[in-house]
Amino acid sequence: MAKDIEVGGNEYGAKDYQDPPPAPLIDPEELGKWSLYRAVIAEFIATLLFLYITVLTVIGYKSQSATDECGGVGILGIAWAFGGMIFVLVYCTAGISGGHINPAVTFGLFLARKVSLVRAVLYIIAQCLGAICGVGLVKAFQKAYYVRYGGGANELADGYSTGTGLAAEIIGTFVLVYTVFSATDPKRNARDSHVPVLAPLPIGFAVFMVHLATIPITGTGINPARSFGAAVIYGKDKAWDDQWIFWVGPFIGAAIAAIYHQYILRAGAAKALGSFRSSSY
């Protein structure tokens, strides 16, 4: 296994990469900074655009395939729409808000102390409101098709148990959030600095691959704001009956991904134990 390369040739000196300091749990001063509100606005607009394009794609596919079984973009096209929009929007907003566009991603980064509680709460509110507005635009532009073809709402498909749907959401969100942590890891960026890696690309591909696997099961949530916004505008009982799956599953998956990356792959647990032992002597 490769060792961390140290600056100045001293193996036990300063590292050639630097982790950002942990975000404070509550930072009152953050509420007085324009950068916070700018980031919240960016999350709102990005989630609005994400839901508008993707739900419109889903509705368009269902309307075309209703008259022609070979018509429309198919499941592959829907997966590309979701993955492609995440790639585009993360690329556009990463420098402003971090490009979360997903309460599960925000929750995972909060657990890893990458964002404060204040910022996490405001992000999640903005994402949910953006999702509602994005789906609302779809309904406003194509009301007849929207109501007829399910409103793009996530529902557990017939023939699958609740446990299967929950597991699909947990595993799918784990893949996404694990990819987010890996693509934005400062240690990886330092080690592989000779390889130009565009972080939004693997994140978008993770969304694409998860959609291919889980669209037949749950319609693929892995984003509570996406599921919530569609349920609010669609308003049918089935969408609300299954809604808890699309919150509990993604949050569990995000938590597992955060713990796995931070405390196992990045050896956070071992470092903490070593620090505790050294302070005991």
Side-chain angles (χ1 to χ4, degrees), residues 14 17 24 42 53 76 91 100 116 118 161 165 199 220 226 230 246 250 252 266 278:
Y17 69 93
I53 295 296
L76 183 64
Y91 180 82
H100 297 192
S116 68
V118 171
S161 67
T220 309
R226 176 260 185 272
F246 302 104
I252 292 176
R266 291 300 305 274
S278 63

Side-chain angles (χ1 to χ4, degrees), residues 10 16 35 43 94 100 114 120 147 152 160 177 182 189 191 213 223 235-236 248 261 264:
N10 183 358
D16 69 333
S35 59
E43 287 293 310
H100 297 192
K114 304 293 186 181
V147 175
Y160 291 98
V177 178
S182 298
N189 294 337
R191 185 190 63 199
N223 184 334
K236 302 297 183 180
V248 174
H261 185 270
I264 297 179

Side-chain angles (χ1 to χ4, degrees), residues 61-120:
Y61 161 66
K62 288 186 176 181
S63 65
Q64 291 173 324
S65 61
T67 56
D68 179 5
E69 292 185 359
C70 296
V73 296
I75 290 179
L76 183 64
I78 293 173
W80 271 121
F82 278 89
M85 279 304 293
I86 287 296
F87 167 69
V88 170
L89 294 171
V90 171
Y91 180 82
C92 291
T93 60
I96 301 171
S97 66
H100 297 192
I101 323 172
N102 185 336
V105 171
T106 301
F107 179 67
L109 293 173
F110 165 70
L111 292 180
R113 302 287 302 278
K114 304 293 186 181
V115 295
S116 68
L117 177 62
V118 171
R119 184 176 290 263

Side-chain angles (χ1 to χ4, degrees), residues 51-276:
L51 267 292
Y52 172 73
I53 295 296
T54 54
V55 172
L56 200 59
T57 302
V58 172
I59 299 300
Y61 161 66
K62 288 186 176 181
S63 65
Q64 291 173 324
S65 61
T67 56
D68 179 5
E69 292 185 359
C70 296
V73 296
I75 290 179
L76 183 64
I78 293 173
W80 271 121
F82 278 89
M85 279 304 293
I86 287 296
F87 167 69
V88 170
L89 294 171
V90 171
Y91 180 82
C92 291
T93 60
I96 301 171
S97 66
H100 297 192
I101 323 172
N102 185 336
V105 171
T106 301
F107 179 67
L109 293 173
F110 165 70
L111 292 180
R113 302 287 302 278
K114 304 293 186 181
V115 295
S116 68
L117 177 62
V118 171
R119 184 176 290 263
V121 170
L122 291 178
Y123 273 21
I124 291 173
I125 293 172
Q127 291 156 359
C128 290
L129 291 176
I132 293 170
C133 293
V135 181
L137 286 177
V138 176
K139 184 174 182 179
F141 293 155
Q142 293 197 0
K143 187 171 183 179
Y145 283 153
Y146 179 87
V147 175
R148 186 185 310 167
Y149 296 113
N154 287 123
E155 298 175 357
L156 185 62
D158 294 337
Y160 291 98
S161 67
T162 299
T164 299
L166 183 62
E169 289 297 307
I170 292 173
I171 296 170
T173 310
F174 173 86
V175 171
L176 169 59
V177 178
Y178 174 41
T179 304
V180 170
F181 275 109
S182 298
T184 59
D185 190 340
K187 182 176 181 179
R188 170 187 289 273
N189 294 337
R191 185 190 63 199
D192 299 335
S193 58
H194 61 288
V195 181
V197 177
L198 192 61
L201 186 59
I203 296 171
F205 263 107
V207 172
F208 167 69
M209 296 303 295
V210 171
H211 274 75
L212 285 182
T214 59
I215 282 177
I217 304 173
T218 61
T220 309
I222 67 171
N223 184 334
R226 176 260 185 272
S227 303
F228 180 72
V232 168
I233 300 301
Y234 187 52
K236 302 297 183 180
D237 290 342
K238 176 61 174 173
W240 285 112
D241 290 344
D242 297 334
Q243 184 65 201
W244 69 272
I245 294 174
F246 302 104
W247 284 87
V248 174
F251 274 41
I252 292 176
I256 295 172
I259 293 170
Y260 175 62
H261 185 270
Q262 293 297 105
Y263 294 99
I264 297 179
L265 298 187
R266 291 300 305 274
K271 292 175 183 176
L273 180 61
S275 176
F276 173 75

